[in-house]
Amino acid sequence: MTPHLKTAEQRLLWLSHWMIHNANHLRPKVDGIKTGGHQASSASMVGIMAALYFTALRPEDRVAVKPHAAPVFHAMQYLMGNTTRERLETFRGFGGTQSYPSRTKDDDDVDFSTGSVGLGVAITSFAALVQDYIAAKPWGRDVRRGRMVALMGDAEIDEGNIHECLQEGWKNGLRDVWWVIDYNRQSLDGVAREGLWQRIEKIFEAFGWDVVRIKYGALQRAAFDEPGGEALRRWIDSCPNQRYAALTFQGGAAWRKRLLDELGDQGAVSALIARRSDAELAALMENLGGNCVQTMADVFAAIDHDRPTCFLAYTIKGWGTPIAGHKDNHGGVMTVEQMQAWQRHMGVGQGEEWERFAAVADVEGFRAWLDAVPFFAAGRRRHDDAHLPVPALASPGEREISTQAAFGRILDDLARGDSALAARILTTSPDVTGTTSLGPWVNRRRLFAREAMADLFRAEKIPSTARWDFAPEGQHLELGIAETNLMLLLAAAGLARSLFGRRLIPIGTVYDPFIARGLDALNYACYQDARFLLVGTPSGVTLAPEGGAHQSIGTPAIGMTQPGLAAFEPAFADELAAIMEWAFDHLQRDAADPYTDPGIDPRTGLADAAGGSVYLRLSTNPVEQPGRRGTAWRQGATEGAYWLREPGPNAELVIAYQGVVAPEAIRAAGALAESRRDIGVLAVTSADRLHAGWSASQRARCRGEAVTSLAERLLAPLPRDCRIVTVIDGHPATLSWLGGVAGHAVLPLGVERFGQTGTIADLYRANGIDAAAIIERVGTFTSGRPVLAFPARPRARSGAAALAG
């Protein structure tokens, strides 16, 4: 083994633990929070990470680092000169290195953010599929292929998304993926069950993975070759996990007593034990494969294929430290006294704690070795790609159409063309492609697979509306029913520009209520600043016949509260076309850092220069369209709201709606015109953006900036005693905040309970969001002439054409 590799391992071990010690003992505390889990989990990963980064990886490879190994990663970047001492000294502090690796908050070269355990593992599989997708296209064939690597803890195997993504990988011929399991057999609350490794191996082998078990380090393998070594190996194999951990914590004397007691006087094995001091015996017994840097380097070097590979690397949690093996070490940290003794053991002098090359015998040789490490030789590995021009998107011309159908028509028009944008669109859906209106797009642009496969139904001349041809040039990647996989694929594809230097425009469709099933992964995707268009459809109780399990309520609030995601709910097709045209540009913007203070537009309060992802909440209910109208509404539609019917100077009432309930709001306004003066109808296309602009403008004014948000400009002319009724097929809190903008009383209407089957009219009435309910509530909410009862509801017509005219 090259001595420099061992030196690198020792440097990472020291620097990572000094970071943690500094955060716990030397820096002023905040709320007494300690970083115990990092200390033990980092130690078990040092050998693995040193071998991986310094011997196996190339610049085109991408790595998701186990969350609790963040200190090792940051220490490595510091050792290589890619981050500063100041950042390390404020580990877990404001402005310092993050507790878990973060693409958007750390200044070192993070490939995938990690933190919500399991997601950082699974995204590597989808990144590999995206790499295959890009490589199959004429514009991506020169991209250098890399391995997608996940460093994971054995406890992460419990996460369901790990198992969900395995099946997608099998279906799509997964390749170029390594998962390295830190098999330390300890989690936050205990020690792993015996035989877990057998379950792990069977799971991976069932899905076509190679499994490499790395149980013994070089010292152990050498000892096994000595007389008595086979007996020692058998003892190690049969030793329960808890006992092995406890003996590790107790040290060499405890190892000696237990081995002699259980192996007895067997001559050769007793002599093997007797030849070693307590310290040497402890080093031997703790020399598991994952803690042996040379063993790990040799194992990585032996892989000469692109099959997905799982490395099951046995380790000691807390390896090399005084807290190694203790079952409480996840929450424990070394005391000051323990750290001082360990510092002497590591040979680091007082005052040299932050020195990159402290305790290094051959500094110049070590420095030259580091400079030649291939993975770091290319410098920062974040790529870029040109902005794709966005073609004008036309609204479908139907007099009556749903937003979901309009979405399908707009994509179909893109599919017919040859724009650069259309060529980079990747669509995907969790087994609901046809029922979310992606069918026409897929028929024209086909499904993606590395090997062509014809649609058997077409070959047999069986009539079908779906032409499901698979081909390398295909642009749709069909998924099974797992919304977490959808969000992780969108995350991986949304990072393609940075990871692979080729920009993609990912579009994912899902039934709107089931966004919640993938919410953790959606949050994870946005946290990384991945860029994609998420389409939730159908939505709300408007999906009447399907019943409560398929009727979303809280998704508008998800859209409002998710950072990095601009949420829209248009009512009309022309609004949708304008929003999609804006969205395709918004996905590509990156003029500022969205996680610092990107600067806001003084006219709106919105930080649009930073860009982000977009969420569309659509419906299957056809509504009458406004017909031809001017362009004044377009800007408001993309910024959050516009007056569909502008209120008069003495307005007594404004009805503000979002989404598919537009016809109900419009009909109610028409019926109330005789009893309430100067009624206005506010079309809210994005409560999210409207609220974001209002909130940001208030913060800006505190800084002395002259910013007036769109919400303030829209509502400022209203008399103070004007009342606002809000209505949405979703939770009423989505729009209830409008009263706070200019001090108007608000009556929020919406859905607050699980739905049931029925007609749209049934469910609207039951939830109080139809025109009759709006009128009834206005009668009790406002003063004035009595409100007449609303006539029976005719066939769904919005009256939007007349009102907009």
Side-chain angles (χ1 to χ4, degrees):
M1 175 176 67
T2 170
H4 296 312
L5 180 57
K6 186 64 178 177
T7 299
E9 177 197 43
Q10 293 299 298
R11 288 279 71 220
L12 297 185
L13 185 63
W14 168 258
L15 287 169
S16 60
H17 282 72
W18 182 250
M19 284 172 58
I20 300 165
H21 182 76
N22 181 69
N24 281 308
H25 295 295
L26 305 183
R27 202 174 70 220
K29 308 298 184 303
V30 179
D31 299 329
I33 295 174
K34 292 191 174 184
T35 60
H38 284 109
Q39 197 147 65
S41 294
S42 291
S44 64
M45 288 296 296
V46 166
I48 293 170
M49 292 179 68
L52 184 71
Y53 279 91
F54 292 120
T55 71
L57 295 179
R58 298 298 180 266
E60 56 270 23
D61 298 328
R62 300 288 169 177
V63 187
V65 175
K66 173 183 169 182
H68 284 136
V72 181
F73 176 80
H74 296 312
M76 184 183 308
Q77 299 294 327
Y78 179 59
L79 187 63
M80 298 303 301
N82 295 334
T83 192
T84 65
R85 171 176 169 175
E86 289 71 25
R87 294 275 297 179
L88 264 61
E89 285 190 87
T90 48
F91 171 60
R92 293 196 92 171
F94 188 78
T97 50
Q98 296 295 297
S99 304
Y100 311 117
S102 171
R103 283 182 57 87
T104 54
K105 296 179 182 296
D106 283 316
D107 66 344
D108 37 23
D109 202 10
V110 178
D111 292 320
F112 302 102
S113 299
T114 53
S116 184
V117 294
L119 296 177
V121 178
I123 195 174
T124 57
S125 286
F126 293 104
L129 297 183
V130 170
Q131 180 175 243
D132 281 342
Y133 178 92
I134 291 172
K137 305 296 185 287
W139 41 265
R141 288 173 185 160
D142 59 340
V143 172
R144 295 185 62 181
R145 298 188 59 83
R147 285 187 171 114
M148 304 298 117
V149 182
L151 303 174
M152 60 188 293
D154 47 12
E156 289 186 83
I157 291 291
D158 293 344
E159 289 289 344
N161 62 79
I162 296 285
H163 302 272
E164 289 177 339
C165 80
L166 287 174
Q167 183 155 303
E168 287 300 337
W170 169 76
K171 285 159 48 180
N172 289 279
L174 185 68
R175 56 180 177 171
D176 293 319
V177 174
W178 284 4
W179 286 2
V180 186
I181 300 177
D182 171 16
Y183 192 55
N184 60 48
R185 292 154 290 164
Q186 286 183 252
S187 60
L188 275 68
D189 294 332
V191 178
R193 296 293 178 90
E194 301 301 323
L196 176 62
W197 63 272
Q198 295 170 311
R199 307 302 113 194
I200 293 173
E201 290 189 358
K202 287 180 180 179
I203 288 169
F204 281 92
E205 288 170 352
F207 288 103
W209 287 57
D210 286 6
V211 179
V212 180
R213 187 160 21 122
I214 312 135
K215 187 167 186 179
Y216 315 113
L219 290 179
Q220 290 187 345
R221 296 195 306 275
F224 298 158
D225 290 337
E226 297 178 24
E230 181 58 26
L232 178 64
R233 187 190 63 77
R234 287 195 301 269
W235 186 92
I236 291 174
D237 288 347
S238 63
C239 182
N241 293 334
Q242 289 199 55
R243 178 169 296 167
Y244 211 96
L247 290 169
T248 296
F249 178 74
Q250 291 172 309
W255 278 117
R256 186 180 304 281
K257 183 177 186 307
R258 174 66 65 173
L259 288 169
L260 290 176
D261 285 349
E262 296 198 358
L263 289 175
D265 185 9
Q266 297 187 28
V269 68
S270 299
L272 184 155
I273 296 167
R275 283 194 294 272
R276 290 162 171 85
S277 67
D278 284 352
E280 291 170 334
L281 185 60
L284 170 64
M285 300 306 292
E286 295 172 24
N287 182 238
L288 299 180
N291 295 135
C292 180
V293 66
Q294 187 58 52
T295 295
M296 292 305 305
D298 292 343
V299 167
F300 291 143
I303 305 301
D304 59 357
H305 55 78
D306 64 1
R307 294 188 300 276
T309 303
C310 171
F311 301 90
L312 189 63
Y314 281 69
T315 63
I316 298 289
K317 191 168 184 177
W319 173 80
T321 73
I323 60 174
H326 196 289
K327 74 181 184 68
D328 297 336
N329 63 13
H330 189 90
V333 293
M334 281 191 277
T335 65
V336 173
E337 293 74 19
Q338 284 177 319
M339 190 68 183
Q340 289 173 346
W342 193 61
Q343 182 171 353
R344 292 190 294 271
H345 169 73
M346 296 294 289
V348 177
Q350 292 293 323
E352 296 182 345
E353 292 86 355
W354 291 109
E355 293 298 322
R356 290 167 60 201
F357 303 122
V360 176
D362 178 12
V363 173
E364 291 307 313
F366 183 55
R367 193 194 304 269
W369 182 80
L370 290 177
D371 289 343
V373 172
F375 182 73
F376 297 99
R380 194 169 175 83
R381 301 165 306 111
R382 295 214 179 171
H383 303 299
D384 205 347
D385 197 14
H387 189 286
L388 301 168
V390 180
L393 302 181
S395 171
E398 285 87 344
R399 184 182 178 189
E400 190 174 277
I401 192 172
S402 70
T403 47
Q404 178 181 302
F407 165 74
R409 301 283 180 83
I410 292 168
L411 269 189
D412 190 34
D413 285 345
L414 276 170
R416 294 169 186 266
D418 59 355
S419 67
L421 181 90
R424 297 295 184 92
I425 290 175
L426 181 160
T427 59
T428 185
S429 189
D431 202 38
V432 291
T433 296
T435 50
T436 56
S437 295
L438 279 178
W441 164 269
V442 176
N443 284 344
R444 295 186 190 281
R445 294 285 176 150
R446 294 189 281 183
L447 292 97
F448 170 72
R450 294 207 313 268
E451 303 292 336
M453 183 171 61
D455 185 339
L456 183 61
F457 276 70
R458 289 184 65 199
E460 296 294 332
K461 297 183 171 53
I462 300 173
S464 172
T465 58
R467 297 191 293 273
W468 290 76
D469 290 320
F470 290 84
E473 59 269 24
Q475 290 183 243
H476 178 77
L477 214 164
E478 180 69 1
L479 298 171
I481 307 174
E483 286 75 12
T484 297
N485 284 343
L486 170 72
M487 304 306 181
L488 288 172
L489 176 57
L490 290 175
L495 294 174
R497 179 192 61 143
S498 175
L499 295 176
F500 309 116
R502 296 296 183 273
R503 187 187 300 277
L504 293 177
I505 306 294
I507 302 176
T509 62
V510 61
Y511 289 172
D512 195 65
F514 302 141
I515 283 176
R517 288 168 58 171
L519 191 53
D520 188 20
L522 173 61
N523 181 67
Y524 171 71
C526 292
Y527 179 67
Q528 302 197 76
D529 198 26
R531 302 300 177 85
F532 51 87
L533 179 64
L534 175 64
V535 182
T537 185
S539 64
V541 297
T542 305
L543 189 61
E546 295 295 324
H550 282 67
Q551 296 165 0
S552 58
I553 297 171
T555 48
I558 290 174
M560 288 187 70
T561 57
Q562 179 60 60
L565 188 71
F568 291 87
E569 188 173 3
F572 304 119
D574 57 0
E575 294 173 348
L576 176 62
I579 290 166
M580 288 181 66
E581 188 175 316
W582 174 89
F584 287 140
D585 179 65
H586 188 69
L587 300 183
Q588 302 182 69
R589 297 178 193 166
D590 59 356
D593 180 357
Y595 291 93
T596 54
D597 187 358
I600 61 175
D601 184 336
R603 190 182 54 79
T604 64
L606 295 168
D608 283 347
S613 292
V614 177
Y615 160 42
L616 303 178
R617 188 175 191 249
L618 306 182
S619 172
T620 49
N621 189 33
V623 300
E624 185 182 356
Q625 300 299 300
R628 288 188 175 274
R629 50 179 172 167
T631 59
W633 59 272
R634 289 182 63 91
Q635 185 168 301
T638 59
E639 292 177 355
Y642 65 94
W643 288 113
L644 186 66
R645 172 174 174 167
E646 193 158 0
N650 299 304
E652 293 182 301
L653 177 69
V654 165
I655 300 176
Y657 71 85
Q658 179 169 291
V660 72
V661 293
E664 307 301 325
I666 293 166
R667 291 171 67 231
L672 288 164
E674 295 299 318
S675 58
R676 296 296 179 269
R677 193 170 50 245
D678 291 351
I679 293 176
V681 178
L682 184 65
V684 179
T685 56
S686 175
D688 176 30
R689 283 172 61 74
L690 200 61
H691 182 273
W694 176 53
S695 181
S697 67
Q698 295 176 80
R699 293 194 299 270
R701 287 195 291 270
C702 289
R703 300 192 297 265
E705 301 175 29
V707 180
T708 303
S709 69
L710 175 60
E712 291 165 324
R713 292 198 307 276
L714 288 169
L715 301 183
L718 298 179
R720 177 57 68 90
D721 59 354
C722 179
R723 300 295 181 97
I724 301 175
V725 174
T726 66
V727 60
I728 182 176
D729 183 3
H731 199 280
T734 308
L735 296 172
S736 64
W737 58 271
L738 283 171
V741 175
H744 296 100
V746 168
L747 175 63
L749 306 180
V751 181
E752 298 183 81
R753 57 187 177 181
F754 291 115
Q756 60 182 18
T757 55
T759 66
I760 293 175
D762 290 336
L763 271 65
Y764 277 16
R765 183 59 185 167
N767 288 280
I769 58 174
D770 66 346
I774 295 171
I775 292 167
E776 183 181 351
R777 298 294 294 275
V778 166
T780 60
F781 180 54
T782 64
S783 58
R785 295 170 58 186
V787 174
L788 299 177
F790 197 69
R793 188 176 191 269
R795 185 177 185 276
R797 292 282 185 180
S798 70
L803 192 57

